[in-house]
Amino acid sequence: MTDLLTFTPNGIYCAIGDFYIDPWRPVDRALITHGHADHSRPGMGHYLATNSAAPVMRHRLGDISIDTVAYGETQTRNGVTISFHPAGHVPGSAQIRLEHKGEVWVSSGDYKTVDDGLSEPFEPVKCHAFITESTFGLPVFNWTPQEVLAQQINDWWAANAAAGTFSLLGCYALGKAQRLLRTVDPSIGPILTHGAIENTNQVLRGQGIALPQTTLVTPDLDVKANAGALVLATPSALNSTWARRFKPASTAFASGWMALRGVRRRRAADRGFIVSDHADWPGLNDAISQTGAERIFVTHGYTSVFSKWLSEQGYDAKIVETEFDGESLDQGDAE
């Protein structure tokens, strides 16, 4: 039997339907799992994405040809039934389900199984073959519970605010920043934002997603009048002249990589909060188990370790090379 999806130099390809999923080179027809730059790239002839992913895609990619679908809505192309299902990664993110002659494949993009209160919660989709990320595919990665995370961040910010110290927090512009905004206690003080984050905030607010009041950091901002503020910045901005105006300051990163010993120290951060919009080790294993799939294709991340583990659990697991990035502390607005 011919595989419903194959892995080509342009991206994940469905030959029967003649379309790609999250292609990394320009193609005629692209199905997009979510709006992050490593999955939603410029130059495609036509895009298909969820209703809630499209606004961010338009914001980032400009005037594109795009159709949208609701979660669970089906389309048929050349006999292939296509539907999008919540991935829980960021607002609008989806797993893409394909069915042809009784064979079902799911390409998950990036996903998270914990409900963060912001993104549409992950829904397992039964299939015969499942394409999974493995960004955090090691047992050491086990995320802090949401209520504990909120207490940690709010306690850090409140202590800094009481001392008149800025709290600089590095996070991705799409997903992570808004999740943190829904987590923190705005009564502690003002919240300032980097331009990339504030632009994304405005797009999501326009979709009806409620976020606390934030202030864009501009060159004429009165920094002294905002002493003790929480400052949300892209990771790359924390090491730039942009961040140096906030003095005195305590610096922190919000990332899954904070689970690794020594990462916070190497990044010269005062605090590290263990949080990610990707699945942790239990989440990856649970998601795969719930699909019922026998064939697992492992992409970006700890591919060799995770695929070996899955093989030992009885899965037919293979590593596939893609150009997806996962989560990196060195990325700015890419994720």
Side-chain angles (χ1 to χ4, degrees):
M1 181 180 294
T2 302
D3 283 348
L4 191 52
L5 289 173
T6 57
F7 302 89
T8 77
N10 290 331
I12 303 170
Y13 182 53
C14 178
I16 299 171
D18 191 22
F19 56 79
Y20 290 80
I21 296 176
D22 293 349
W24 40 86
R25 293 185 178 86
V27 299
D28 288 338
R29 184 170 294 273
L31 278 57
I32 304 298
T33 60
H34 65 283
H36 279 150
D38 59 328
H39 289 257
S40 177
R41 303 186 186 221
M44 310 302 161
H46 187 76
Y47 298 81
L48 180 66
T50 65
N51 297 329
S52 46
V56 164
M57 291 175 59
R58 290 191 181 99
H59 167 69
R60 291 184 159 188
L61 301 177
D63 185 15
I64 56 175
S65 172
I66 183 170
D67 286 331
T68 63
V69 294
Y71 288 117
E73 179 183 344
T74 60
Q75 294 191 359
T76 301
R77 182 172 172 80
N78 298 342
V80 179
T81 301
I82 304 163
S83 56
F84 288 62
H85 304 267
H89 176 54
V90 297
S93 61
Q95 307 167 80
I96 298 178
R97 179 188 186 274
L98 307 178
E99 181 173 358
H100 182 258
K101 295 183 177 179
E103 182 180 1
V104 179
W105 286 54
V106 171
S107 183
S108 63
D110 291 330
Y111 64 92
K112 172 173 82 272
T113 57
V114 174
D115 184 358
D116 61 12
L118 173 73
S119 308
E120 300 88 348
F122 176 89
E123 293 181 4
V125 181
K126 295 291 185 182
C127 58
H128 300 102
F130 185 65
I131 302 172
T132 180
E133 61 154 308
S134 60
T135 304
F136 295 107
L138 291 179
V140 69
F141 295 112
N142 199 322
W143 304 151
T144 304
Q146 187 82 358
E147 63 278 7
V148 176
L149 174 71
Q151 189 70 50
Q152 291 175 345
I153 296 176
N154 286 323
D155 285 351
W156 168 72
W157 179 19
N160 291 335
T165 298
F166 288 100
S167 298
L168 272 72
L169 183 55
C171 55
Y172 287 141
L174 170 59
K176 185 79 66 64
Q178 295 76 35
R179 179 180 178 183
L180 293 172
L181 284 172
R182 295 278 285 261
T183 299
V184 300
D185 178 2
S187 69
I188 295 172
I191 303 174
L192 311 181
T193 52
H194 184 275
I197 292 173
E198 190 58 32
N199 289 340
T200 307
N201 287 348
Q202 293 305 316
V203 174
L204 296 182
R205 285 185 177 115
Q207 296 175 235
I209 295 176
L211 299 172
Q213 180 179 345
T214 54
T215 300
L216 172 66
V217 174
T218 60
D220 58 355
L221 177 73
D222 186 350
V223 174
K224 291 183 179 179
N226 289 278
L230 175 66
V231 185
L232 296 186
T234 57
S236 59
L238 287 184
N239 296 318
S240 70
T241 55
W242 180 92
R244 296 190 187 113
R245 74 191 78 180
F246 302 107
K247 295 181 180 179
S250 176
T251 302
F253 282 95
S255 172
W257 296 111
M258 292 299 114
L260 294 180
R261 188 183 303 274
V263 170
R264 188 187 77 193
R265 183 177 64 253
R266 290 197 298 272
R267 297 295 305 202
D270 300 310
R271 288 292 302 270
F273 300 108
I274 302 172
V275 55
S276 178
D277 290 327
H278 297 258
D280 59 5
W281 175 262
L284 289 169
N285 282 276
D286 185 50
I288 290 169
S289 174
Q290 290 190 74
T291 67
E294 295 180 355
R295 302 179 67 190
I296 310 296
F297 296 87
V298 182
T299 72
H300 57 298
Y302 289 95
T303 53
S304 58
V305 174
F306 193 51
S307 63
K308 181 180 179 182
W309 162 258
L310 291 174
S311 296
E312 291 171 350
Q313 308 313 303
Y315 293 100
D316 176 10
K318 294 182 175 62
I319 298 172
V320 291
E321 297 297 326
T322 66
E323 294 187 14
F324 305 135
D325 296 326
E327 179 172 317
S328 167
L329 283 176
D330 296 315
Q331 288 177 303
D333 190 35
E335 259 281 346

